[in-house]
Amino acid sequence: MADQGVGLPSKSTDMCGLTDLGGLYRNLTAPALYEHSLRRGEANVADGGALVVETGVHTGRSPKDKFVVVDDTTRDTVWWDNTAAMSAEQFALLHADMAAHARGMPLYMQDLYGGADPGHRINVRVFTEFAWHSLFIRNLLIRPERSELADFAPEMTIIDLPSFKADPKRHGCRTETVIACDFTNKIVLIAGTSYAGEMKKSVFSLLNFLLPEKRVMPMHCSANVGDEGDTAVFFGLSGTGKTTLSADPGRTLVGDDEHGWGGDGVFNFEGGCYAKTIKLSAEAEPEIYATTQRFGTVLENVAFDENTRVVDFDDGSKTENTRCAYPISFISNASDTGRAPHPKNIIMLTADAFGVLPPIARLTPAQAMYHFLSGYTAKVAGTEKGVTEPQATFSTCFGAPFMPRHPSEYGNLLRSLIASHNVDCWLVNTGWTSGAHGTGYRMPIRATRTLLAAALDGSLRDVEYRVDANFGFAVPVEVPGVDPAILDPRSTWADKDAYDAQAAKLVEMFVTNFAKFESHVDGTVLAAAPSFQAAAE
């Protein structure tokens, strides 16, 4: 194997079965990876300096093509109702076939950390077929210091070969695309997809499996911290405002997507951000927009003018899931350490397209566990083919595809941490008010920011609350700077009977979804379930 690397060295020779390569480029930095990407025809350079790439037919993750090896480590610990299984023999065949496919092929290698807390991080070695994939994962994970690379010993290995096509009969997978995870040997094999996000989510999935045994809570969330060390954690599915609301210029950004919460506080799993760019503008998201105009950022599936190379973030012709991947240091108020104290507030974000939920509600620990396990948001008409009216979406733990253990493990761990550290918990609805999607309007962002600021600075502790008739949580009656009417969703509907019908429908969906968890939680969590009660006029 010819080692053509001109990047930073690594003494480790652990190649995870890869032999007779046509070259190995070790730990190249952004300038060299730009050169390789452009020379190989993988990418273009946009006006401003970002690297523009396309991911082909896969413009997002392929969750149905993700598999975990069944063995003594996983047999009784993985939540198989939510996880596709692959035998150890099938994984071994896939591994051998991918290694054979790579012979004679130049590959790129990055040695990186998953986790900002040295006590809980994992050393990750990533082999990629594409130079731009190497830049992507270098942006997204944590880059060791130069001095740390000489003795770097990988604990996890990812082999990413988009040109390899899996054989469902031979490899036990569903299609030619496969993301296969061996949690025992800490190896991930990715084939048949050019979507780079599969790599970072594989690291997240392994940490989600390993950390609960250490009493560390893995979280699909963003986090920021104030000047007084008041950490806030934001759970939320796509479209709920997780990235937007955590990017507060008055607070330090810890991270925008994946974190752990252990004995020493909160820590980022990543060293970068992977933000959506559809409809992105300098006015609405100045910090994120600025990253798209500089060298080192990777722009995925973003349209650009062939002559001027100016990008068009309003063009979703390739996909609505256009993205930018950049080091977190590109954000001016980002944390240098990726670590923060224990949270004082947890915010669970939902975009309720039914127009039923209030803009903010205070949750008890049991209610927080209930809503964490529910992971509710809603799709709106027109977002997907066939969606003609609001549709409820429940993704347990606000990230079901990445949670290999049973949700109750994560829920009980979160509840214990909330109680131990006396954390205030809030449900924040960034969805619709004065009616469902189509008749009402989106919750004013100014009201959401005002309510969120009041929660974070502690002033919401001193206001009057009412108990929501259907969900049982506490809702502020009046908050300075916010129209009192918006705090009572039913009062904003012209047709109160229509509101009651929507509320009854949403309550029923919550109860139906939660049925699968009832045998795994105690009576206080069951008592936190909503129960429809028509309000008196």
Side-chain angles (χ1 to χ4, degrees):
M1 178 187 68
D3 189 341
Q4 301 174 6
V6 294
L8 301 180
S10 172
K11 288 182 180 178
S12 172
T13 57
D14 188 344
M15 296 296 295
C16 201
L18 296 170
T19 60
D20 301 321
L21 298 179
L24 181 64
Y25 298 95
R26 299 171 181 260
N27 296 309
L28 298 188
T29 56
L33 290 169
Y34 261 65
E35 292 170 0
H36 282 247
S37 298
L38 296 172
R39 185 167 62 242
R40 290 158 55 100
E42 296 176 1
N44 291 284
V45 177
D47 179 62
L51 195 71
V52 184
V53 300
E54 293 189 13
T55 62
V57 66
H58 293 283
T59 57
R61 291 182 303 102
S62 301
K64 293 182 180 179
D65 293 309
K66 183 178 179 180
F67 296 82
V68 172
V69 173
V70 183
D71 57 20
D72 291 343
T73 302
T74 61
R75 187 171 291 107
D76 299 322
T77 51
V78 165
W79 182 31
W80 295 110
D81 290 348
N82 188 58
T83 308
M86 176 179 284
S87 72
E89 294 75 18
Q90 290 166 332
F91 184 90
L93 282 173
L94 178 63
H95 190 179
D97 290 348
M98 288 179 66
H101 179 78
R103 288 185 189 126
M105 179 185 295
L107 294 184
Y108 297 83
M109 187 188 86
Q110 291 287 338
D111 289 332
L112 303 160
Y113 295 139
D117 186 333
H120 301 302
R121 74 187 181 198
I122 188 168
N123 293 0
V124 185
R125 174 162 289 174
V126 187
F127 296 95
T128 64
E129 178 179 351
F130 296 159
W132 81 260
H133 273 200
S134 193
L135 177 58
F136 173 94
I137 201 64
R138 181 177 176 82
N139 281 353
L140 266 294
L141 293 185
I142 298 171
R143 296 156 294 283
E145 295 295 329
R146 188 185 192 96
S147 60
E148 296 173 311
L149 286 170
D151 297 315
F152 188 93
E155 300 167 280
M156 176 186 186
T157 302
I158 299 172
I159 301 176
D160 171 54
L161 303 178
S163 67
F164 181 84
K165 306 301 182 185
D167 181 344
K169 291 184 178 179
R170 178 175 172 82
H171 302 128
C173 49
R174 189 180 70 97
T175 68
E176 292 182 338
T177 297
V178 65
I179 302 94
C181 308
D182 179 345
F183 286 164
T184 298
N185 296 301
K186 301 180 178 63
I187 300 171
V188 175
L189 306 174
I190 302 172
T193 174
S194 297
Y195 184 69
E198 299 286 10
M199 292 184 289
K200 88 172 201 109
K201 288 302 185 186
S202 295
V203 178
F204 187 32
S205 295
L206 180 61
L207 288 171
N208 284 354
F209 179 74
L210 297 174
L211 290 179
E213 291 187 351
K214 301 169 72 174
R215 301 299 295 169
V216 175
M217 176 68 189
M219 304 178 293
H220 182 212
C221 69
S222 58
N224 64 26
V225 60
D227 292 338
E228 304 299 319
D230 52 315
T231 305
V233 166
F234 299 77
F235 290 104
L237 299 173
S238 180
T240 58
K242 178 164 60 75
T243 299
T244 298
L245 293 173
S246 63
D248 184 336
R251 297 170 64 84
T252 299
L253 178 67
V254 182
D256 81 328
D257 199 34
E258 299 163 0
H259 295 79
W261 181 6
D264 296 325
V266 170
F267 61 97
N268 194 357
F269 285 173
E270 301 181 293
C273 301
Y274 192 32
K276 283 192 172 183
T277 59
I278 194 69
K279 309 297 183 184
L280 181 67
S281 70
E283 294 73 29
E285 302 285 352
E287 289 272 13
I288 296 174
Y289 183 86
T291 71
T292 69
Q293 307 300 306
R294 62 183 294 179
F295 181 89
T297 293
V298 177
L299 297 179
E300 282 186 344
N301 301 312
V302 173
F304 65 95
D305 186 284
E306 292 287 347
N307 294 315
T308 66
R309 300 300 175 95
V310 173
V311 298
D312 182 0
F313 293 122
D314 292 330
D315 187 338
S317 57
K318 297 176 184 177
T319 176
E320 292 286 308
N321 190 37
T322 54
R323 296 266 183 170
C324 59
Y326 52 89
I328 196 169
S329 59
F330 283 12
I331 299 295
S332 60
N333 65 327
S335 168
D336 293 331
T337 65
R339 303 175 68 179
H342 294 288
K344 290 191 175 181
N345 289 277
I346 288 177
I347 296 94
M348 298 184 186
L349 299 165
T350 181
D352 175 30
F354 295 92
V356 170
L357 296 179
I360 196 167
R362 187 173 62 188
L363 306 176
T364 66
Q367 289 170 339
M369 182 173 175
Y370 183 92
H371 285 278
F372 177 72
L373 291 177
S374 296
Y376 165 71
T377 192
K379 298 176 183 177
V380 299
T383 56
E384 292 183 10
K385 184 177 180 180
V387 178
T388 58
E389 62 180 19
Q391 292 185 1
T393 297
F394 294 94
S395 183
T396 187
C397 306
F398 295 98
F402 326 118
M403 302 294 175
R405 294 178 179 271
H406 193 278
S408 61
E409 284 197 53
Y410 304 108
N412 282 315
L413 182 52
L414 180 66
R415 183 181 180 186
S416 174
L417 286 164
I418 288 170
S420 297
H421 299 285
N422 194 28
V423 183
D424 288 333
C425 298
W426 310 89
L427 184 70
V428 172
N429 174 26
T430 61
W432 274 256
T433 186
S434 300
H437 176 264
T439 57
Y441 58 89
R442 194 74 187 253
M443 198 71 68
I445 186 65
R446 180 175 296 180
T448 300
R449 290 191 184 279
T450 300
L451 291 168
L452 187 57
L456 297 186
D457 69 19
S459 58
L460 274 191
R461 297 193 189 102
D462 302 323
V463 303
E464 180 186 354
Y465 284 84
R466 65 176 177 85
V467 175
D468 185 88
N470 300 314
F471 284 84
F473 40 48
V475 181
V477 174
E478 190 170 350
V479 177
V482 177
D483 180 1
I486 208 171
L487 296 169
D488 181 6
R490 189 174 187 269
S491 71
T492 66
W493 283 54
D495 186 340
K496 303 299 188 287
D497 290 338
Y499 172 87
D500 290 340
Q502 282 282 68
K505 181 179 179 181
L506 184 58
V507 165
E508 183 180 2
M509 287 187 283
F510 264 88
V511 172
T512 299
N513 171 74
F514 203 81
K516 58 182 175 286
F517 301 129
E518 289 182 351
S519 62
H520 299 277
V521 299
D522 63 27
T524 59
V525 177
L526 291 177
S531 177
F532 174 69
Q533 300 177 35
E537 290 292 345

